[in-house]
Amino acid sequence: MAKKHSGQCACGAVAFEFDTDPSFVAVCHCLDCKRATGGEAATFFGVPDDDFTLISGAPKAFHYVAQSGKGLDRNFCPECGARVFSSNLESFPGTVFVTLGSLDRPQEIAPMVEMFTRRRLAWATPLDVPQFENMPG
Ligand SMILES: [Zn+2]
Ligand SMILES: [Zn+2]
């Protein structure tokens, strides 16, 4: 049976699904997210890695050390180049971070916090959710 949530890369070669309703959905304005997405911020959320299921494709992992000094793998589609999820995070073991825009129904999940707001560009308007200058906690 298909899981509750599904997503894919831009060309559809890489597809995944999961059941967990995310409890942490962040809009992150940090410089790493800007570089990785090419946008002002990234919106992503955590899913337990025993729930996250790849259903097609073979994403390529790029190992990367974030500005925090912690390593992670950014996984992208080798066909279309779209970034789809991050895994093997030293700072969040057992959690895969999925980018909201990769979902088939992104309207079902909304941001709960904004973080690294000290890196938010002046033209970006804060959302009506808790704001954190750096990482929450
Ligand atoms: Zn693709
Ligand atoms: Zn970030």
Side-chain angles (χ1 to χ4, degrees):
M1 204 183 96
K3 294 195 175 195
K4 182 172 176 185
H5 302 285
S6 61
Q8 59 177 36
C9 66
C11 76
V14 173
F16 61 88
E17 59 185 21
F18 57 94
D19 280 321
T20 307
D21 288 320
S23 55
F24 178 82
V25 186
V27 174
C28 182
H29 297 272
C30 83
L31 297 181
D32 291 327
C33 285
K34 284 180 170 48
R35 287 273 189 238
T37 61
E40 199 279 330
T43 306
F44 56 80
F45 52 85
V47 172
D49 65 12
D50 56 2
D51 177 24
F52 182 86
T53 308
L54 198 61
I55 53 176
S56 75
K60 190 165 191 278
F62 175 73
H63 185 75
Y64 176 81
V65 177
Q67 293 193 327
S68 61
K70 304 280 191 180
L72 65 144
D73 287 341
R74 291 199 195 284
N75 297 272
F76 60 95
C77 172
E79 304 301 322
C80 69
R83 172 188 169 194
V84 276
F85 61 96
S86 299
S87 57
N88 296 322
L89 287 90
E90 265 182 75
S91 39
F92 293 92
T95 304
V96 172
F97 283 88
V98 176
T99 38
L100 182 91
S102 305
L103 294 177
D104 293 327
R105 294 182 306 279
Q107 66 274 21
E108 291 179 0
I109 291 172
M112 296 171 183
V113 301
E114 277 192 277
M115 62 191 204
F116 287 96
T117 58
R118 66 197 175 92
R119 300 293 193 185
R120 181 167 46 212
L121 300 182
W123 49 259
T125 309
L127 300 172
D128 186 18
V129 295
Q131 304 283 310
F132 297 90
E133 267 194 38
N134 296 296
M135 277 290 285

